[in-house]
Amino acid sequence: MAAPSMKRETCYQALFKRLQQMPTPVQCERILPHHEDVPANLQPAVFMTVTSQTAEQVTGLPTKYHLDAKVWIYAHRDTAGIVPSIAVNQILDELDEVLRPPVGPAFKQTLGGLVEHCWIEGEIHTDEGWLGLQSIAVVPLRMLVVAN
């Protein structure tokens, strides 16, 4: 397979489009507001932020880029008293599903051929709202792109 062209924003847009396929979130945006600025009726909510980019160059080979993002999940206890971490866990499962690679020899999530691979990498930070009504999770994502 030919290496995908390096278009950062195209890669991030494809990732965001995947996130929008999750059925549970009431809203899904690329601008991260503070959780106190997201009304309870607009939660659970998912936000994506671009965090860092790393380049790796080996003489004679195309540059490899790691494009990193974070997915922020907000869930608020509703009037029925549902524990917000239940909604967060459901969305984490949905995130696993939308990023699940197709079964096959490569077993890679290519976001439609735009990246070499996209996956969850690192510690998933969670706060289930022990001291209040708000629950939050932060999920690190990574995409590998090889420049032509």
Side-chain angles (χ1 to χ4, degrees), residues 31-39 43 47 74 134 136:
I31 297 174
L32 178 66
H34 191 276
H35 65 84
E36 291 178 355
D37 295 330
V38 181
Q43 296 186 45
F47 304 95
Y74 294 171
Q134 187 69 53
I136 298 172

Side-chain angles (χ1 to χ4, degrees), residues 19 21-26 43-46 71 73-76 78 82-100 120 124 126 128 135-137 139:
L19 300 179
Q21 295 173 10
M22 294 186 293
T24 297
V26 174
Q43 296 186 45
V46 170
V71 172
I73 301 167
Y74 294 171
H76 196 277
D78 64 17
I82 300 299
V83 177
S85 62
I86 293 171
V88 167
N89 286 328
Q90 180 176 344
I91 295 169
L92 288 170
D93 291 343
E94 291 173 9
L95 179 60
D96 286 341
E97 283 300 314
V98 298
L99 293 179
R100 185 175 313 285
I120 296 170
I124 298 170
T126 60
E128 67 174 5
S135 185
I136 298 172
V139 183

Side-chain angles (χ1 to χ4, degrees), residues 25-141:
V26 174
Q27 66 172 326
C28 188
E29 304 289 338
R30 282 191 62 181
I31 297 174
L32 178 66
H34 191 276
H35 65 84
E36 291 178 355
D37 295 330
V38 181
N41 66 327
L42 294 179
Q43 296 186 45
V46 170
F47 304 95
M48 185 187 94
T49 59
V50 173
T51 56
S52 66
Q53 301 176 17
T54 306
E56 178 184 339
Q57 175 61 59
V58 176
T59 304
L61 296 174
T63 303
K64 292 182 182 181
Y65 291 90
H66 286 131
L67 306 179
D68 296 333
K70 286 190 178 170
V71 172
W72 299 74
I73 301 167
Y74 294 171
H76 196 277
R77 184 175 307 171
D78 64 17
T79 55
I82 300 299
V83 177
S85 62
I86 293 171
V88 167
N89 286 328
Q90 180 176 344
I91 295 169
L92 288 170
D93 291 343
E94 291 173 9
L95 179 60
D96 286 341
E97 283 300 314
V98 298
L99 293 179
R100 185 175 313 285
V103 176
F107 202 69
K108 293 181 179 179
Q109 175 53 260
T110 66
L111 301 176
L114 292 173
V115 302
E116 290 290 325
H117 189 38
C118 175
W119 68 98
I120 296 170
E121 180 173 280
E123 185 175 356
I124 298 170
H125 296 277
T126 60
D127 176 349
E128 67 174 5
W130 294 329
L131 301 176
L133 302 175
Q134 187 69 53
S135 185
I136 298 172
V138 184
V139 183
L141 301 180

